[in-house]
Amino acid sequence: MSRWTDWLAEQAAAREDAGLRRSLSPRPASDRVLDLAGNDYLGLSRDPVVTAAAADAALQWGAGAGASRLVTGTLALHTRLEDELAELTGQPAALVLSSGYHANLAVVSALADRDTLVVSDAHIHASLVDAVRLSRARLAVVPHSDVAAVRSALAGYDGRALVLAESIYSVLGDEAPLVELAAVCAEHDALLVVDEAHALGVRGPGLVRSHGLAAAPHVLVTATLSKALGAQGGAVLCSPAVREHLVNRARPFIFDTALAPAAAAGALAALGVLRERPHLPDLVRRRADDLAAALGVEPAAGAVLSVPMPSPQVALAAQASALEQGLRVGCFRPPSVPDGISRLRVTVNAGVADEDWARATEVLVAVVKEHG
Ligand SMILES: Cc1ncc(COP(=O)(O)O)c(C=O)c1O
């Protein structure tokens, strides 16, 4: 056992020295700290319509789905949710899974194999990185949002190819050149997989639909239900043929207990709220633009503002200073930052009252001035 004990101690010491030690801090159900670190962009996770639907579903269907989808876990709630997600995103079919992570694992591992070339943007989410490893496909990582690099990676390859991108990137909050990527994929008969985790709900039906790409047979979408929709779960939005393939071949779908009823009903209710309150995404946009201008950082494509910090230690100090003043913001350090630059990650939340938002802006401006 001492070999393992020594190894764990060495690893912990190396993390500590590099300022990269992470720990978990449980938060109470309610506190006075304003959360600008989470991804509840529209404030729906605590919306009474959403929480009541989740609670009712738990009472009606039980706390868990009880089995995987192919056994007895497929509930009427899942199929309704799939229909509504497909309608919102303009895609012909949808498949709901227990998380966005699973959705990405499912798509890539079921569509790609050793005979597939995967071309991946350098800033892609960890779930897609892991998905490619699981698939054992050949991998070409291309510089961030570099369409020419995608084109040259695909050039001369005449097998099945997948290109991976996020419509809005999770850490830097920037937007992918989706129209150009889709055109390159069409030229090379490649499939484009777009992770809309940070766009769905924040940019209405997501950027694939907004750019008129929803009907393109070579573009498919993955999404999470745990950010703007305030619930939990993931989805693949695709053609019926891809859905059928995933149901039969995607191990992260097949060997996983179905999405819990409360999460499915919560997400369904959130979709209803989105239809009834279309001003919510506009509020996110306005707040994101104003905050980016106040902090002097790049405008955000969605709800994520990225504030570069000089070092991991300074980033932590800035985060602690914001917390002392009642604000929780994210602190991303290597290896969770694609470019190695530590940063504060501040998220806009439309559920925060106007006066609290104004105070949060003041605090953030002061913190960034002191540490940035
Ligand atoms: C871009 C992206 N894809 C996928 C996921 C995973 O989604 P989930 O949290 O639902 O597993 C996340 C975040 O957690 C994400 O940021």
Side-chain angles (χ1 to χ4, degrees):
M1 192 60 201
S2 75
R3 180 176 290 142
W4 284 104
T5 313
D6 292 349
W7 181 79
L8 288 169
E10 278 163 23
Q11 294 285 311
R15 282 193 294 272
E16 194 72 50
D17 288 350
L20 297 177
R21 177 165 177 267
R22 288 161 169 79
S23 58
L24 303 170
S25 0
R27 61 178 168 90
S30 63
D31 60 11
R32 300 183 62 79
V33 178
L34 212 55
D35 186 356
L36 302 186
N39 303 306
D40 183 16
Y41 303 133
L42 303 180
L44 296 186
S45 79
R46 284 173 177 262
D47 188 283
V49 173
V50 175
T51 51
D56 285 351
L59 291 173
Q60 194 184 342
W61 295 91
S68 64
R69 293 280 305 266
L70 281 171
V71 182
T72 55
T74 295
L75 315 178
L77 274 177
H78 295 130
T79 42
R80 259 184 61 208
L81 179 56
E82 287 169 349
D83 290 347
E84 290 205 14
L85 283 168
E87 194 179 326
L88 172 70
T89 56
Q91 294 279 346
L95 186 69
V96 164
L97 295 94
S98 62
S99 73
Y101 206 113
H102 281 78
N104 283 337
L105 290 184
V107 163
V108 178
S109 66
L111 294 176
D113 55 29
R114 283 196 173 90
D115 299 326
T116 313
L117 171 67
V118 175
V119 180
S120 170
D121 187 284
H123 288 196
I124 214 73
H125 189 258
S127 53
L128 285 165
V129 173
D130 292 351
V132 180
R133 291 178 182 149
L134 199 57
S135 75
R136 301 189 176 102
R138 281 175 51 187
L139 173 64
V141 177
V142 292
H144 183 47
S145 287
D146 187 338
V147 179
V150 173
R151 179 178 282 112
S152 51
L154 291 172
Y157 185 76
D158 63 0
R160 286 178 297 112
L162 275 185
V163 175
L164 309 180
E166 291 175 40
S167 54
I168 294 180
Y169 283 89
S170 54
V171 178
L172 301 192
D174 56 328
E175 186 172 332
L178 285 186
V179 173
E180 294 83 353
L181 285 174
V184 170
C185 288
E187 271 168 41
H188 292 274
D189 196 17
L191 260 185
L192 176 62
V193 177
V194 183
D195 182 339
E196 295 246 46
H198 298 275
L200 188 76
V202 174
R203 297 283 299 270
L207 294 180
V208 167
R209 182 164 202 179
S210 307
H211 288 310
L213 298 170
H218 67 295
V219 179
L220 63 86
V221 169
T222 61
T224 173
L225 314 177
S226 53
K227 300 191 192 297
L229 298 184
Q232 183 97 35
V236 181
L237 296 314
C238 55
S239 67
V242 169
R243 184 182 191 277
E244 151 83 12
H245 184 77
L246 297 181
V247 166
N248 287 279
R249 296 300 301 276
R251 295 167 65 87
F253 172 80
I254 297 168
F255 297 102
D256 186 42
T257 297
L259 182 64
L268 259 172
L271 291 174
V273 172
L274 259 184
R275 284 191 295 270
E276 279 157 25
R277 297 182 226 158
H279 62 277
L280 285 176
D282 297 337
L283 178 56
V284 169
R285 187 134 200 93
R286 235 184 4 262
R287 285 184 170 176
D289 286 348
D290 293 349
L291 187 58
L295 296 177
V297 298
E298 291 291 314
V304 177
L305 281 163
S306 166
V307 187
M309 290 278 126
S311 70
Q313 290 85 351
V314 174
L316 277 178
Q319 183 189 39
S321 164
L323 188 59
E324 270 166 27
Q325 299 174 73
L327 268 196
R328 192 176 286 115
V329 296
C331 173
F332 277 42
R333 294 164 287 157
S336 312
V337 276
D339 53 4
I341 298 175
S342 296
R343 50 186 28 97
L344 296 183
R345 179 179 182 272
V346 182
T347 55
V348 176
N349 184 327
V352 172
D354 283 340
E355 58 276 19
D356 290 336
W357 185 256
R359 187 180 63 81
T361 304
E362 273 173 31
V363 168
L364 283 169
V365 168
V367 166
V368 170
K369 196 167 166 204
E370 188 188 343
H371 297 87

